[in-house]
Amino acid sequence: MLDYRVETFLTVCQTRNYTRAAQMLNITQPAVSQHIKYLEEYFSVKLFDMRGKMIYLTSEGEEVYHLARIFNLNITKFKEHLLTDTGSKEISVGATKTIGEFIMPPIIASYVKEYPNRIMKMKVDSTSTLLEKVKYGELDFAFIEGPFDEQEFNVLEFMEERYIPVCSPEFKFAGSEVTIHDLMNYPLILKEESRDGRSDIEQWLLQINHSINNFKVVHLVDSLLVVKEMVKNNIGISFLYETSVREELLNGSLVTIPIKNYDVKRKFKFVYRKYSNYDQEYLDFFDFCDDQRRILCL
């Protein structure tokens, strides 16, 4: 950060509170007010409006915030480049749980093998958390899923993943073509987090005038391993990303259920900050990942 007053401004934007900003910066609240006043006089605009105990950016403040944040992120990234050798750049990538655990491992391994001097940092978390980290420069880019506001980021489509119905080989309709009505007399086992595709299933059911509540019973489990074990033991059926059950489908411990008129897919996307000075580096990494995905048939 080149100007401490800009740092104060960004911290106030983050906290929306002068007192909390002062605590985070280890300065007094009057100092925070003085820094903001200086910037308002410098830009000849009002940066914040007060609503109750919270402060909000004005339209002009939004523009200043956008420019200041991009400037700060580029300066921070440039400083990191100066402090490291050309061959030992640090790369910070994020991925949602399914992408991070079932798609990225062989790709990351290939990348590190190809570029042994690169320093790799990877964060697996929810889409919303990853987007926040990309937004504030804690991650260079992320592979995410599900709906989000794409206007704030550069977005590339990485791949499309099928969300398939699976069951035990002992299940009555294993391998047989059925309708969704045929399955509703049996328990449904789902991952609890909606980001793992559950929302897509619910939306598809709504389109045919049904819901998950039409099933005999619905088990919501916050563990993919537990979901798969329950299905293997013929406790019920589930809908899971195809890549997350590829091994089980190959060894026969799980099988698919062909459902008439069912085809639910979700797009996995690659996102990075707009107006970054390092777009080409990010795109080079994306191209490598995309090539490896095709080579590995992921």
Side-chain angles (χ1 to χ4, degrees):
M1 175 64 64
L2 296 184
D3 193 306
Y4 59 90
R5 289 161 295 204
V6 176
E7 183 178 7
T8 298
F9 170 68
L10 290 173
T11 305
V12 173
C13 291
Q14 180 182 350
T15 61
R16 294 190 178 185
N17 184 284
Y18 278 31
T19 301
R20 286 201 293 271
Q23 291 170 346
M24 288 181 65
L25 295 168
N26 199 28
I27 60 177
T28 65
Q29 184 173 331
V32 172
S33 300
Q34 187 178 14
H35 294 173
I36 299 303
K37 182 179 179 181
Y38 171 86
L39 292 174
E40 288 182 328
E41 291 177 352
Y42 180 82
F43 289 109
S44 299
V45 296
K46 187 178 181 181
L47 297 175
F48 296 104
D49 279 329
M50 181 69 72
R51 302 176 196 170
K53 295 183 179 180
M54 298 293 290
I55 58 174
Y56 295 86
L57 284 165
T58 62
S59 57
E60 295 84 0
E62 289 279 2
E63 293 184 45
V64 174
Y65 167 71
H66 175 74
L67 292 172
R69 185 170 61 83
I70 296 301
F71 173 75
N72 183 45
L73 292 174
N74 283 330
I75 287 293
T76 301
K77 190 71 175 177
F78 180 64
K79 183 178 179 181
E80 291 174 358
H81 276 246
L82 292 178
L83 293 175
T84 58
D85 296 331
T86 304
S88 60
K89 295 177 182 177
E90 181 178 292
I91 296 174
S92 55
V93 56
T96 54
K97 194 172 183 66
T98 297
I99 302 172
E101 293 186 357
F102 295 99
I103 295 173
M104 294 308 295
I107 294 176
I108 294 296
S110 297
Y111 185 84
V112 174
K113 187 175 182 179
E114 182 79 15
Y115 303 99
N117 292 326
R118 301 288 171 87
I119 302 170
M120 178 65 63
K121 292 186 176 181
M122 185 170 177
K123 174 72 173 178
V124 175
D125 215 316
S126 66
T127 289
S128 59
T129 298
L130 294 174
L131 288 174
E132 281 295 300
K133 290 184 178 297
V134 171
K135 180 178 178 179
Y136 290 107
E138 296 177 49
L139 293 173
D140 293 328
F141 37 74
F143 294 89
I144 63 170
E145 58 185 278
F148 66 98
D149 184 3
E150 298 190 10
Q151 295 184 347
E152 194 168 358
F153 304 92
N154 287 319
V155 182
L156 295 173
E157 185 174 328
F158 181 50
M159 62 182 290
E160 195 171 53
E161 178 67 10
R162 295 175 63 213
Y163 202 69
I164 62 172
V166 294
C167 65
S168 163
E170 300 174 3
F171 182 63
K172 178 179 179 179
F173 296 115
S176 302
E177 185 176 65
V178 297
T179 67
I180 191 65
H181 305 281
D182 297 324
L183 301 176
M184 288 185 169
N185 291 323
Y186 300 90
L188 176 65
I189 308 165
L190 292 176
K191 282 290 299 299
E192 188 170 11
E193 307 99 319
S194 62
R195 67 176 180 270
D196 284 311
R198 175 181 158 191
S199 58
D200 294 330
I201 294 300
E202 291 178 324
Q203 185 176 4
W204 177 75
L205 287 170
L206 285 174
Q207 290 173 355
I208 57 174
N209 299 316
H210 286 290
S211 76
I212 61 173
N213 295 324
N214 293 130
F215 284 84
K216 181 179 180 180
V217 63
V218 179
H219 300 288
L220 299 179
V221 182
D222 190 20
S223 167
L224 178 61
L225 290 176
V226 174
V227 171
K228 290 197 284 189
E229 283 302 313
M230 291 175 70
V231 177
K232 288 178 186 178
N233 283 278
N234 203 21
I235 294 172
I237 68 166
S238 187
F239 292 82
L240 297 168
Y241 283 126
E242 186 172 23
T243 188
S244 70
V245 291
R246 183 174 287 123
E247 182 178 341
E248 289 81 5
L249 293 176
L250 287 174
N251 64 32
S253 59
L254 290 177
V255 296
T256 59
I257 311 170
I259 300 177
K260 292 179 181 178
N261 302 317
Y262 174 85
D263 184 26
V264 174
K265 298 176 182 177
R266 172 169 279 192
K267 292 181 179 180
F268 294 163
K269 297 183 178 181
F270 176 82
V271 300
Y272 60 98
R273 292 183 302 277
K274 284 187 174 180
Y275 313 112
S276 169
N277 289 341
Y278 302 94
D279 285 14
Q280 192 55 54
E281 287 186 18
Y282 301 161
L283 292 174
D284 288 344
F285 184 84
F286 171 81
D287 288 340
F288 181 92
C289 293
D290 196 41
D291 289 342
Q292 287 297 309
R293 177 184 66 81
R294 297 175 192 278
I295 292 171
L296 297 168
C297 299
L298 296 174

